[in-house]
Amino acid sequence: TEMMRALGYPRLISMENFHTPNFLLVSEVLLWLVRRYEPQTDIPPDVETEQDRVFFIKAVAQFMATKAHIKLNTKKLYQADGYAVKELLKVTSVLYGAMNTKGVERADMSEEDSSKFKFDLGSKIADLKAARQLASEITSKGASLYDLLGKEVELREARTESIARPLEINEAEKVMKIAIDCVLEQVQKTKDMLNNVALDEANLEAKIEKRKLELERSQKRLQTLQSVRPAFMDEYEKIEEQLQKQYSSYLEKFRNLTYMEQLLDDHRRTEQEMFEEAANMLRLMQNRLKEEERHLFKSGNNDDSDVEIREEEGSDSEVEDRQIMKQRTTMETLLQG
């Protein structure tokens, strides 16, 4: 998608377009890439029928193989799904790399394509500067090449003389001996390295055997330790039995303690209830005595005509007063208690 956008493809492309086969989009992209590579190509864009599609894919693959030396998989292109994107990427990467390295000339596009694709020159200022620098380098290189070609006549004679000069066998033999000595030295070094590798291999094998023997001895020792009964095992079993008994007695005592605490709570609750009942009874008796006193005071304030009757019945009233005083003293003692 980024490469097609950089190349100037007018339509936005995403990978979601290729989740399902989309042959129309693939054909459109292929035709645009082919025309981008070679504007004068004549590939029919008809893809309505199956035969037209097959012919179109074959024509595009043949064109890219002959012109750009790019081999495309026609089956994947015909599928027009995610696998076709990989094939399209082959052509797109070539054009994108060419645009980045050498710069694609916009004037080579046809009038129809140039009317469709308009580029912003403001974003290509760096490319213009690079093009100017390359143009200046080309002129300087061309001038130096022209000067060198002018000296070709003199250099040709020197070259022919050097080629025609006979080869000295002694110097060639010396050079060959030096090369042979270097090769033999390298061969000796490789042999020494191989011998060292063999010695290292032998040492590693000896270490491996030693480790294996140590492992076997350790396993045998472990088996013997597992089979032998420890000396403290009898004492451990006795202590474990005692601990079990102590635990059972502890559970029994704990249950008894909780039961006694529950009984104590119940007893305290009953005592509290009895105390509250006694207090209520005392309160009721106090109220009753107060009512009787009020009644006696009211009876004492009667008319003077009842004085004689009171004198006659004086003994009875004194008896009643004494009883009331006794009841009052008993109530006060109870309240104090």
Side-chain angles (χ1 to χ4, degrees):
T1 56
E2 295 297 331
M3 287 181 182
M4 293 297 290
R5 187 182 300 153
L7 290 173
Y9 188 68
R11 178 178 174 182
L12 294 175
I13 303 173
S14 65
M15 287 302 296
E16 294 180 357
N17 297 127
F18 298 97
H19 284 172
T20 58
N22 193 353
F23 193 84
L24 294 175
L25 181 59
V26 172
S27 63
E28 184 180 351
V29 172
L30 279 173
L31 187 61
W32 188 84
L33 290 173
V34 169
R35 288 180 179 175
R36 180 77 170 172
Y37 192 83
E38 185 66 33
Q40 303 299 328
T41 55
D42 188 11
I43 295 176
D46 296 332
V47 290
E48 294 180 358
T49 62
E50 183 179 355
Q51 294 179 355
D52 293 339
R53 293 180 179 181
V54 173
F55 181 75
F56 175 77
I57 294 294
K58 285 183 178 179
V60 171
Q62 187 176 2
F63 173 80
M64 297 307 297
T66 55
K67 296 291 183 180
H69 301 287
I70 298 172
K71 186 177 180 181
L72 298 176
N73 193 340
T74 55
K75 291 182 180 179
K76 292 182 179 180
L77 285 174
Y78 191 79
Q79 289 177 4
D81 53 1
Y83 293 101
V85 177
K86 296 181 180 179
E87 302 300 321
L88 293 173
L89 191 60
K90 295 178 182 178
V91 184
T92 309
S93 60
V94 172
L95 293 174
Y96 185 73
M99 185 185 71
N100 289 333
T101 55
K102 297 181 181 178
V104 180
E105 295 182 358
R106 308 302 182 184
D108 293 337
M109 296 172 63
S110 62
E111 294 180 358
E112 182 180 358
D113 293 334
S114 63
S115 63
K116 290 182 180 178
F117 315 124
K118 294 181 180 180
F119 297 96
D120 188 10
L121 294 176
S123 62
K124 301 296 180 181
I125 294 173
D127 295 338
L128 290 173
K129 290 181 180 179
R132 288 176 182 174
Q133 186 177 0
L134 288 172
S136 63
E137 289 179 359
I138 288 168
T139 54
S140 62
K141 296 291 183 183
S144 62
L145 181 61
Y146 180 76
D147 295 335
L148 292 172
L149 288 173
K151 297 177 182 179
E152 176 63 21
V153 178
E154 299 176 358
L155 295 173
R156 187 184 300 168
E157 294 177 358
R159 188 169 59 249
T160 53
E161 288 178 359
S162 62
I163 291 170
R165 187 176 61 183
L167 183 65
E168 295 181 0
I169 297 172
N170 293 326
E171 293 181 358
E173 187 176 359
K174 289 180 181 179
V175 173
M176 291 298 292
K177 284 182 179 179
I178 292 168
I180 289 167
D181 292 335
C182 291
V183 171
L184 291 174
E185 187 178 357
Q186 291 180 358
V187 170
Q188 188 63 33
K189 287 181 180 179
T190 53
K191 286 182 179 179
D192 294 336
M193 291 174 67
L194 289 173
N195 292 327
N196 292 328
V197 169
L199 291 173
D200 294 336
E201 186 177 0
N203 292 327
L204 289 172
E205 287 179 355
K207 288 181 180 180
I208 290 168
E209 292 294 332
K210 187 177 179 181
R211 295 293 182 185
K212 285 182 179 178
L213 293 174
E214 290 179 357
L215 179 62
E216 289 178 357
R217 286 198 296 269
S218 300
Q219 289 179 352
K220 289 179 180 179
R221 187 177 178 185
L222 178 63
Q223 290 177 359
T224 54
L225 290 172
Q226 289 178 353
S227 61
V228 174
R229 182 180 175 85
F232 60 86
M233 200 67 190
D234 297 333
E235 186 179 0
Y236 174 76
E237 290 177 354
K238 290 179 181 178
I239 293 170
E240 190 175 6
E241 290 177 357
Q242 292 177 3
L243 180 63
Q244 190 69 27
K245 292 178 181 178
Q246 292 292 333
Y247 182 70
S248 60
S249 63
Y250 165 75
L251 288 177
E252 185 177 358
K253 291 179 180 179
F254 183 76
R255 285 196 295 269
N256 293 331
L257 179 63
T258 52
Y259 179 69
M260 296 299 290
E261 287 178 353
Q262 186 179 0
L263 290 176
L264 181 62
D265 292 335
D266 295 337
H267 181 67
R268 288 176 179 174
R269 194 180 299 109
T270 53
E271 286 183 351
Q272 185 68 24
E273 290 177 356
M274 291 173 65
F275 179 74
E276 290 178 356
E277 289 179 358
N280 292 327
M281 290 295 293
L282 289 174
R283 197 177 296 109
L284 290 173
M285 291 174 70
Q286 285 179 357
N287 293 328
R288 189 179 297 170
L289 290 172
K290 286 179 181 180
E291 290 178 357
E292 289 179 354
E293 286 179 357
R294 290 174 185 174
H295 183 68
L296 290 173
F297 283 128
K298 287 179 181 180
S299 61
N301 293 327
N302 289 330
D303 296 334
D304 295 333
S305 60
D306 296 332
V307 174
E308 293 178 357
I309 297 170
R310 286 179 185 175
E311 290 177 355
E312 292 176 357
E313 296 177 356
S315 60
D316 296 331
S317 62
E318 289 178 357
V319 173
E320 289 177 359
D321 291 335
R322 289 175 183 174
Q323 290 178 355
I324 291 168
M325 289 298 291
K326 287 180 181 179
Q327 288 178 359
R328 186 177 296 173
T329 52
T330 53
M331 288 298 296
E332 289 178 354
T333 53
L334 284 173
L335 288 171
Q336 289 176 1

